[in-house]
Amino acid sequence: MSTSSQTQFRYTQTPSKVLHLRNLPWECTEEELVELCKPFGKIVNTKCNVGANRNQAFVEFVDLNQAISMVSYYASSSEPAQVRGKTVYIQYSNRHEIVNNKSPGDTPGNVLLVTIEGVEANDVTIETIHLVFSAFGFVHKIATFEKAAGFQALIQFTDAETASSARNALDGRSIPRYLLPGHVTSCHLRISYSAHTDLNIKFQSHRSRDYTNPYLPVNPTAMEGLMQPVVGPDGKKQEPQSNVLLASIENMQYAVTVDVLHSVFSAFGTVQKIAIFEKNGGTQALIQYPDVTTAAVAKESLEGHCIYEGGYCKLHLSYSRHTDLNVKAYSDKSRDYTISDLSLLATQGPASAAMQAQPSAGQVPAWDPSLQARPSYGSVPGTVPGQAYQASAVPTYMNAAPPAGSSPLSQPGATSMRMPPPGGAPLLGQPPYYGQ
């Protein structure tokens, strides 16, 4: 059909406040339709993804003149209507209103989509959600997640009738205050039907639960009670503790290997595993202790301190969501100290050679698999990379005297715990840049 005949077709149609749009891009959204049409008036209803190719739609204006204005404009304009670069053809519809335009949220089903307003993700536990909704019937599965709309949950019942009863009773209501943390002042439920009919739950965790399958594997990291939010006396949410610390290292002027980190963090207790990785352009590491108490002491003692003199390799520590690191390789970036038989781990890079060769002067000594004495350095005990520490209630590392010529950290009441750079001071004119 020619352009002129299409234009004539638009004018010869009986005007309607409902417009028919064709040649839309695949899966065109309601937001895209509204964006195209809103310059001409208020949109009161839409129907998207119509037709075999799902490339047609209907748009209903609040007033007939607004629809006429849009058709007239694009019929005479040299610039066609476009969505995502595709030319869209517009004509009057032979209907005068959009009917039976139920969204998936209006079509009854056995799965409810619940938006919990006024809370953060960990303010409402999955146990609380189950307690509230199981009052209306057996809850098969629950999955919680965070979207732009806020904290949401999918709740699967046996049938649509049970789900409808729960929706009619709870939509717009609040979860009882005694089931919520003290700092939550308001909590409202917005409930619609989901297009899902059977949720796919892969793990039992604090974010998802399948009450029909007791043999479903448990995600230990997600199920840990210590990962649940802790509220302090002031009512503010505290950082949940863990036996694994996440260390972010800034001002990397010297190389930081697992041996260096083991020397630093073993001052506070047995270090089980270490993994170093790069993220967002910076160096980070995960350090695993056997328990939360040891990790908490290390975190409090080391936060903000520098590994080396001169403010180099500054540590920023937080708790990780991990509880048991999966270390598969023996290398400068990862180490599992709980495995005595190193043949069980794959060796990667320079670490395999370090197992047999002694370090040369100026290098951080490699981890000794036989746990024998390491080479001595001419520095103050307790501040040398690679030196073994005895776990004690009061870490000696924190109280060690600084090397001659060094100054305390610029923190009130903090003693220096910085190490001398590997191999001593750099040669004049050769700054110790990381990676040299």
Side-chain angles (χ1 to χ4, degrees):
M1 184 181 291
S2 66
T3 304
S4 59
S5 61
Q6 283 193 353
T7 303
Q8 183 64 27
F9 174 72
R10 288 188 179 115
Y11 280 118
T12 57
Q13 292 290 299
T14 303
S16 168
K17 61 181 180 179
V18 178
L19 299 183
H20 179 207
L21 285 71
R22 297 178 291 115
N23 200 42
L24 290 163
W26 174 257
E27 295 290 350
C28 181
T29 65
E30 180 181 9
E31 289 76 13
E32 290 175 309
L33 290 178
V34 172
E35 186 68 23
L36 175 65
C37 302
K38 69 180 181 181
F40 302 95
K42 182 179 179 181
I43 307 299
V44 295
N45 212 344
T46 62
K47 188 176 182 68
C48 305
N49 303 314
V50 177
N53 296 323
R54 301 175 64 84
N55 63 346
Q56 302 179 46
F58 294 94
V59 176
E60 180 180 344
F61 283 93
V62 69
D63 182 75
L64 176 62
N65 291 329
Q66 296 172 351
I68 294 174
S69 174
M70 182 173 183
V71 171
S72 301
Y73 175 82
Y74 284 113
S76 59
S77 174
S78 60
E79 295 293 331
Q82 290 188 336
V83 174
R84 290 190 230 158
K86 290 195 67 175
T87 298
V88 178
Y89 301 109
I90 305 170
Q91 64 188 40
Y92 296 116
S93 171
N94 57 7
R95 64 182 73 182
H96 296 282
E97 64 177 343
I98 297 176
V99 295
N100 299 323
N101 186 36
K102 288 189 175 181
S103 66
D106 298 322
T107 305
N110 66 314
V111 178
L112 297 178
L113 172 62
V114 181
T115 302
I116 307 176
E117 299 177 343
V119 300
E120 295 184 19
N122 291 322
D123 289 338
V124 180
T125 65
I126 202 167
E127 288 79 13
T128 298
I129 296 173
H130 181 264
L131 179 64
V132 171
F133 283 86
S134 62
F136 302 89
F138 179 65
V139 173
H140 287 234
K141 302 174 184 179
I142 298 177
T144 64
F145 48 91
E146 295 175 74
K147 291 284 189 178
F151 181 52
Q152 296 183 313
L154 288 169
I155 302 166
Q156 179 178 331
F157 286 99
T158 306
D159 49 50
E161 183 179 356
T162 309
S164 297
S165 299
R167 184 193 183 208
N168 294 336
L170 296 175
D171 188 25
R173 302 287 296 276
S174 298
I175 294 177
R177 288 294 303 274
Y178 67 88
L179 295 176
L180 299 171
H183 67 279
V184 177
T185 57
S186 63
C187 171
H188 298 286
L189 302 176
R190 301 298 177 195
I191 306 176
S192 60
Y193 295 105
S194 169
H196 294 282
T197 57
D198 188 18
L199 303 180
N200 183 19
I201 305 297
K202 297 181 178 179
F203 294 100
Q204 308 282 22
S205 74
H206 74 295
R207 301 301 297 269
S208 62
R209 202 70 55 86
D210 185 343
Y211 299 97
T212 66
N213 186 3
Y215 302 105
L216 197 67
V218 174
N219 184 340
T221 300
M223 289 295 291
E224 279 291 337
L226 57 87
M227 300 312 298
Q228 297 299 323
V230 179
V231 180
D234 57 356
K236 295 183 178 179
K237 191 164 61 175
Q238 296 178 340
E239 182 183 13
Q241 294 183 322
S242 169
N243 65 310
V244 179
L245 296 178
L246 173 62
S248 299
I249 307 171
E250 66 177 38
N251 197 12
M252 285 277 292
Q253 296 293 318
Y254 297 106
V256 175
T257 64
V258 288
D259 300 299
V260 173
L261 293 179
H262 184 267
S263 299
V264 173
F265 285 88
S266 63
F268 305 92
T270 301
V271 173
Q272 294 180 324
K273 302 175 184 179
I274 296 177
I276 303 175
F277 54 95
E278 302 293 324
K279 186 174 182 181
N280 299 329
T283 300
Q284 297 185 353
L286 291 168
I287 300 96
Q288 177 178 327
Y289 286 104
D291 54 71
V292 176
T293 303
T294 308
V297 173
K299 179 180 182 296
E300 183 177 356
S301 302
L302 292 173
E303 169 59 32
H305 288 282
C306 300
I307 297 177
Y308 293 114
E309 296 175 345
Y312 300 128
C313 303
K314 187 174 183 179
L315 295 172
H316 293 289
L317 302 174
S318 61
Y319 293 107
S320 169
R321 287 189 173 274
H322 295 281
T323 58
D324 189 17
L325 302 180
N326 184 17
V327 176
K328 297 181 179 179
Y330 176 96
S331 71
D332 288 336
K333 297 293 186 181
S334 62
R335 200 71 54 83
D336 186 343
Y337 298 97
T338 65
I339 297 179
S340 57
D341 185 0
L342 295 179
S343 64
L344 300 177
L345 290 175
T347 56
Q348 294 181 355
S352 57
M355 293 170 57
Q356 301 161 355
Q358 292 294 329
S360 60
Q363 290 181 327
V364 177
W367 176 58
D368 185 356
S370 62
L371 299 180
Q372 295 174 350
R374 297 175 173 82
S376 59
Y377 287 77
S379 300
V380 177
T383 60
V384 181
Q387 179 176 344
Y389 290 89
Q390 298 295 328
S392 61
V394 181
T396 56
Y397 191 76
M398 287 296 299
N399 299 324
S406 65
S407 58
L409 293 174
S410 56
Q411 297 188 9
T415 58
S416 175
M417 56 172 297
R418 290 174 287 191
M419 300 179 181
L427 298 177
L428 186 63
Q430 295 182 355
Y433 290 113
Y434 174 58
Q436 265 193 315

